[in-house]
Amino acid sequence: MLRDTLTILSRRFSWGQFATLAALLVCAGGMLAFAAIMDEALEGGTHAFDETLLRALRNPGDLSDPLGPFWLEIMMRDYTSLGSHAVLLLIGAVALGYIVMLRKWLSATLLTVSFGGGMALNSLLKLGFDRPRPDLVAHLVEVHTASFPSGHAMLSATCYLTLGTLLAGVTHHRRLKAYILGIAIGLTLLVGSSRVYLGVHWPTDVLAGWCLGAAWAMGCWLVLRARLARHQRRRRLHPPGEGHGPG
């Protein structure tokens, strides 16, 4: 009975509707969660949580020594580079070039606004909050900027989730959509987790970065989807004959 009901609902509820609802929930939930974390962090209410988790990832007798074999530390240093400005800008430039060659102008605009806006927003927030980096454990990679929110966590969420939604939108197979979005989410979680493991961020820095990055990416995607829907309505009201239009 339940299975039949779910089947009927899934037929009536298209993937597009599901994706839009999920994006709205992520956007709203991410903003609310970021605000809550920010409020607690500013009041010092997250200190115990942050300190406990950072200590849990280190050798109790030597806080400069992370848990696990040495190869794990090397892997985490490599993984954390997937959220660096240099790598994300390279990935973004390659993706943008491909989209421009396809003449998908709205998608190109989304990518530019999502990446560029995300980086600018993160820089402004770091300057505004100016939270010091953790001094509880040794830093296993070099850092130069403020701590809150984590740039690697926020920008990897922005980058990979934006690209994930764009790629998922061009395939009609639900398994492929789920796979693409799963990879995007997995990369985002991996990059953020590496920052805590390497001791360069408080855990709440990363949580805040994930929340805000996901909210920003989904907000940009919702704007793109609204513009595409508006364009399609115009084409129905005014049949073609005036170019290809944005994609």
Side-chain angles (χ1 to χ4, degrees):
M1 182 68 178
L2 179 60
R3 185 176 180 181
D4 293 338
T5 303
L6 291 175
T7 301
I8 294 172
L9 288 175
S10 65
R11 288 174 180 172
R12 293 181 178 178
F13 201 59
S14 69
W15 174 267
Q17 292 172 311
F18 171 78
T20 300
L21 179 59
L24 283 169
L25 291 174
V26 170
C27 190
M31 291 298 294
L32 290 173
F34 174 78
I37 294 170
M38 176 186 68
D39 184 58
E40 287 295 318
L42 288 175
E43 294 180 358
T46 64
H47 183 72
F49 168 77
D50 284 329
E51 184 174 325
T52 299
L53 191 51
L54 276 179
R55 286 182 178 276
L57 295 173
R58 297 299 173 105
N59 184 337
D62 182 7
L63 293 181
S64 66
D65 180 28
L67 293 179
F70 184 63
W71 57 261
L72 179 60
E73 180 183 336
I74 296 175
M75 287 177 64
M76 284 299 182
R77 289 180 179 179
D78 291 337
Y79 289 150
T80 206
S81 298
L82 294 173
S84 68
H85 279 71
V87 171
L88 294 179
L89 283 172
L90 178 61
I91 293 173
V94 171
L96 182 62
Y98 178 75
I99 292 171
V100 168
M101 285 192 290
L102 293 177
R103 297 186 178 183
K104 300 291 187 180
W105 306 119
L106 278 179
S107 295
T109 301
L110 165 69
L111 199 62
T112 303
V113 172
S114 180
F115 277 42
M119 289 182 177
L121 178 60
N122 182 258
S123 297
L124 289 173
L125 289 171
K126 280 181 175 290
L127 288 172
F129 291 110
D130 197 27
R131 188 185 195 186
R133 296 274 179 169
D135 55 4
L136 180 67
V137 298
H139 297 172
L140 302 182
V141 290
E142 193 172 351
V143 290
H144 303 284
T145 59
S147 193
F148 185 91
S150 167
H152 279 64
M154 178 179 169
L155 297 180
S156 62
T158 298
C159 170
Y160 295 125
L161 293 179
T162 297
L163 290 177
T165 53
L166 289 175
L167 288 174
V170 299
T171 178
H172 300 291
H173 301 285
R174 293 191 177 185
R175 287 186 179 180
L176 285 178
K177 290 179 186 288
Y179 176 77
I180 292 169
L181 292 175
I183 292 296
I185 294 170
L187 287 172
T188 299
L189 296 177
L190 180 62
V191 170
S193 299
S194 72
R195 304 305 283 174
V196 179
Y197 182 85
L198 295 171
V200 294
H201 271 297
W202 300 107
T204 46
D205 296 335
V206 171
L207 289 174
W210 280 337
C211 291
L212 189 57
W216 178 261
M218 292 301 97
C220 291
W221 181 81
L222 286 168
V223 172
L224 171 69
R225 190 168 181 83
R227 290 291 300 274
L228 285 174
R230 183 180 175 185
H231 177 68
Q232 289 170 356
R233 285 195 298 270
R234 282 182 179 177
R235 288 179 67 88
R236 285 196 296 268
L237 293 174
H238 305 285
E242 301 180 358
H244 299 288

